[in-house]
C-alpha cells in the first residue's frame, strides 16, 4: 500500500526545496519488528514512512507504480531520511 499526497499544482513545500509531494509507504529500511506492533488485544499497528518526492518522481510513480519508484530509490541509495538536495531519481 502506497499513497501520494501533493502540495498544490507543481508547488514546492518551500522555495528552493524541490519536493512537492510525499509518498506514504512501508519502510524500506526497518524490519517488521519495528513496523508491525502487536498490541495486548492482538491487534496489529502498522508503522509507515513518508518519503518526499520531486515532481518527476511523482509522475513516474503515477505511470509505473510505487514498486518501480521504490526500486529506483534502492538503485540510487535514497534513504527514508529527508535530505534536501538529494538526487532526483527520475531526471
Amino acid at each position: 500500500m502506497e499513497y501520494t499526497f501533493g502540495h498544490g499544482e507543481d508547488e514546492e513545500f518551500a522555495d528552493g526545496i524541490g519536493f512537492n509531494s510525499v509518498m506514504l509507504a512501508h519502510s524500506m529500511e526497518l524490519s517488521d519488528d519495528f513496523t508491525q506492533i502487536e498490541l495486548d488485544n492482538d491487534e496489529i499497528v502498522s508503522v509507515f514512512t513518508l518519503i518526499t518526492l520531486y515532481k518527476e518522481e511523482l509522475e513516474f510513480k503515477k505511470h509505473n507504480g510505487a514498486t518501480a519508484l521504490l526500486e529506483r530509490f534502492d538503485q540510487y541509495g535514497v534513504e527514508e531520511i529527508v535530505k534536501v538536495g538529494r538526487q532526483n531519481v527520475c531526471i
Side-chain angles (χ1 to χ4, degrees), residues 19 50-52 79-84:
F19 303 120
L50 287 174
I51 302 169
T52 52
E79 300 172 334
E80 294 176 13
I81 297 171
V82 176
K83 291 183 181 172
V84 175

Side-chain angles (χ1 to χ4, degrees), residues 19-50:
F19 303 120
N20 76 336
S21 55
V22 293
M23 179 170 64
L24 179 69
H26 292 282
S27 177
M28 300 180 295
E29 300 171 20
L30 300 176
S31 70
D32 286 348
D33 291 340
F34 295 101
T35 60
Q36 300 290 311
I37 302 167
E38 187 173 346
L39 303 178
D40 291 337
N41 62 1
D42 294 328
E43 287 188 49
I44 302 290
V45 174
S46 296
V47 178
F48 294 88
T49 188
L50 287 174

Side-chain angles (χ1 to χ4, degrees), residues 3 7 15 21 32 53 55 57 64 70 75 81 90:
Y3 296 100
H7 181 65
D15 288 338
S21 55
D32 286 348
L53 302 177
K55 174 186 172 184
E57 294 169 341
N64 301 287
L70 292 171
Q75 289 172 346
I81 297 171
C90 292

